[in-house]
């Protein structure tokens, strides 16, 4: 999983992953919860892990103390600069009309870009719903709850399972656990990967998703929590998850994941 430096919860039990993790686990100083029961990991020595964690914490504490000293020195320097600047007489400048016009054009352009992003997110969410078993079809009973998803206005908190940013309107959270989602995860997640740049929480656990986790997950750079537990997901854990540097909680237990742990995942664990 690359360099997920903020991961605090990792759940992998109930899959078919293999590998040796002694040296890796010794560096998991930030993990509050780690569950890998019944998946075949080898060479795990808890005493060694505890010792290494304490060493890493001490090194981190020394580093943070040095940063605090540097910050204090920088703050003192800035204060001196402000005093010096206050002694310099102020010179009033006449307003620059051309810059004012450029500023207005820039603001208008930013608004257009923001509106375009919101429209793309709405389109991606509608596609997501249409391909995740939202409607009743033969063996798919349809979602348990889909309030608000029939609306054609902008995405808002009135859509069931959606939480948006109060300032930008961008999607912050998508939570649809135990909601009878069906279909291949790659088919309905992929459209979200390129545009949901503010998505922090993705909770799709306890559904009926199949297929492999798409590598494009790596583009959801704002993710802090991901829960895909208790589905029917197969294949290996994609190494591209390593680009999710803000990720703190990752739940993949209760699926049918298999294969060797990728090199990127080992690097991610060592960064902890």
């Amino acid at each position: 999983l690359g360099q997920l430096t903020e991961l605090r919860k990792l759940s992998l039990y109930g899959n078919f992953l293999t590998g040796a993790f002694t040296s890796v686990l010794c560096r998991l100083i930030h993990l509050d919860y780690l569950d890998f029961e019944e998946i075949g990991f080898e060479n795990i020595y808890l005493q060694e892990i505890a010792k290494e964690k304490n060493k890493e914490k001490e090194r981190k504490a020394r580093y943070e103390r040095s940063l605090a000293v540097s910050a204090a020195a920088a703050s003192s320097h800035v204060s001196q600069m402000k005093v010096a600047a206050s002694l310099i007489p102020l010179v009033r400048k006449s307003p620059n009309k051309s810059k004012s016009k450029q500023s207005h054009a820039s603001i208008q352009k930013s608004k257009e870009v923001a509106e375009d992003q919101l429209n793309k997110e709405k389109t991606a969410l509608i596609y997501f719903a249409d391909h995740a078993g939202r409607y009743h079809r033969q063996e798919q009973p349809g979602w348990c709850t889909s309030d608000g998803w029939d609306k054609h206005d902008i995405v808002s908190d009135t859509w069931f399972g959606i939480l948006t940013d109060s300032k930008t309107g961008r999607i912050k959270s998508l939570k649809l656990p135990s909601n009878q989602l069906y279909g291949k995860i790659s088919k309905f997640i992929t459209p979200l990967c390129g545009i949901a740049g503010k998505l922090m929480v993705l909770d799709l656990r306890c559904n009926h998703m199949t297929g492999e986790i798409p590598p494009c997950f790596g583009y959801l750079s704002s993710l802090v929590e991901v829960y895909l537990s208790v589905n029917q997901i197969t294949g290996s854990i994609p190494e591209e998850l390593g680009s999710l540097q803000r990720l703190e909680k990752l739940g993949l237990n209760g699926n049918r994941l298999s294969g060797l742990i990728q090199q990127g995942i080992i690097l991610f664990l060592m960064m902890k």
Side-chain angles (χ1 to χ4, degrees), residues 22-23 34-35 53 67 76 85 118 123 129 149 166 172 202 208 240:
T22 301
S23 60
L34 175 62
D35 195 338
K53 281 189 175 183
L67 287 180
S76 176
L118 292 175
T123 300
W149 288 73
S166 59
K172 286 176 54 179
L202 179 64
H208 306 277
E240 287 78 4

Side-chain angles (χ1 to χ4, degrees), residues 22-58:
T22 301
S23 60
V24 172
L25 290 174
C26 287
R27 298 179 179 271
L28 302 180
I29 64 172
H30 297 300
L31 279 184
D32 298 321
Y33 180 89
L34 175 62
D35 195 338
F36 46 80
E37 187 177 353
E38 299 180 2
I39 60 175
F41 287 167
E42 305 166 0
N43 303 328
I44 298 172
Y45 303 103
L46 297 182
Q47 291 182 350
E48 183 181 350
I49 292 170
K51 290 180 181 179
E52 290 297 326
K53 281 189 175 183
N54 289 333
K55 290 180 182 178
E56 289 292 340
K57 286 181 179 179
E58 290 176 1

Side-chain angles (χ1 to χ4, degrees), residues 1-2 4 184-194 202 210-221 223 226 228 233-245 247 252 257 262 265:
L1 298 180
L4 305 186
K184 290 187 176 182
I185 184 172
S186 60
K187 191 166 187 178
F188 51 77
I189 286 294
T190 300
L192 286 174
C193 291
L202 179 64
T210 60
E212 300 183 2
I213 299 173
C216 75
F217 248 97
Y219 290 112
L220 295 171
S221 57
L223 280 173
V226 175
L228 302 177
I233 301 172
T234 57
S236 60
I237 302 174
E239 194 168 359
E240 287 78 4
L241 288 181
S243 61
L244 305 180
Q245 298 184 14
L247 196 63
L252 299 174
L257 298 169
Q262 300 294 324
I265 299 173

Side-chain angles (χ1 to χ4, degrees), residues 16-21 39-42 258-262:
F16 305 95
L17 303 167
T18 59
F21 278 79
I39 60 175
F41 287 167
E42 305 166 0
S258 60
L260 292 173
I261 300 297
Q262 300 294 324

Side-chain angles (χ1 to χ4, degrees), residues 70-268:
S70 299
S75 177
S76 176
H77 179 68
V78 169
S79 298
Q80 294 175 2
M81 292 293 290
K82 287 182 177 179
V83 171
S86 66
L87 301 176
I88 301 175
L90 296 176
V91 178
R92 295 186 178 180
K93 296 182 179 180
S94 58
N96 191 319
K97 294 183 179 180
S98 62
K99 286 186 177 181
S100 178
K101 291 181 179 179
Q102 291 175 359
S103 177
H104 177 74
S106 178
I107 292 174
Q108 183 62 30
K109 181 64 176 179
S110 297
K111 288 183 179 180
E112 293 175 357
V113 170
E115 290 177 0
D116 182 60
Q117 290 174 334
L118 292 175
N119 287 328
K120 286 181 177 179
E121 282 190 351
K122 182 181 73 172
T123 300
L125 282 172
I126 292 174
Y127 182 93
F128 166 87
D130 291 345
H131 291 80
R134 175 184 168 199
Y135 301 105
H136 173 75
R137 295 173 185 167
Q138 298 180 350
E139 298 180 357
Q140 300 178 2
W143 288 8
C144 296
T145 306
S146 60
D147 296 346
W149 288 73
D150 290 321
K151 298 178 180 179
H152 297 289
D153 56 358
I154 206 70
V155 179
S156 70
D157 295 355
T158 60
W159 291 38
F160 176 76
I162 292 288
L163 179 64
T164 59
D165 186 282
S166 59
K167 294 181 179 179
T168 65
R170 302 288 299 277
I171 306 168
K172 286 176 54 179
S173 175
L174 174 57
K175 294 182 178 182
L176 295 170
S178 303
N179 203 42
Q180 295 186 163
L181 274 66
Y182 281 80
K184 290 187 176 182
I185 184 172
S186 60
K187 191 166 187 178
F188 51 77
I189 286 294
T190 300
L192 286 174
C193 291
I195 51 88
K198 301 298 181 182
L199 188 65
M200 299 175 66
V201 179
L202 179 64
D203 187 353
L204 303 177
R205 67 185 122 181
C206 301
N207 283 292
H208 306 277
M209 298 184 298
T210 60
E212 300 183 2
I213 299 173
C216 75
F217 248 97
Y219 290 112
L220 295 171
S221 57
S222 295
L223 280 173
V224 177
E225 300 179 19
V226 175
Y227 304 103
L228 302 177
S229 311
V230 195
N231 280 280
Q232 299 165 26
I233 301 172
T234 57
S236 60
I237 302 174
E239 194 168 359
E240 287 78 4
L241 288 181
S243 61
L244 305 180
Q245 298 184 14
R246 299 182 182 179
L247 196 63
E248 296 182 6
K249 297 181 180 180
L250 176 61
L252 299 174
N253 54 286
N255 283 288
R256 299 176 181 176
L257 298 169
S258 60
L260 292 173
I261 300 297
Q262 300 294 324
Q263 179 66 25
I265 299 173
I266 294 177
L267 290 175
F268 140 70

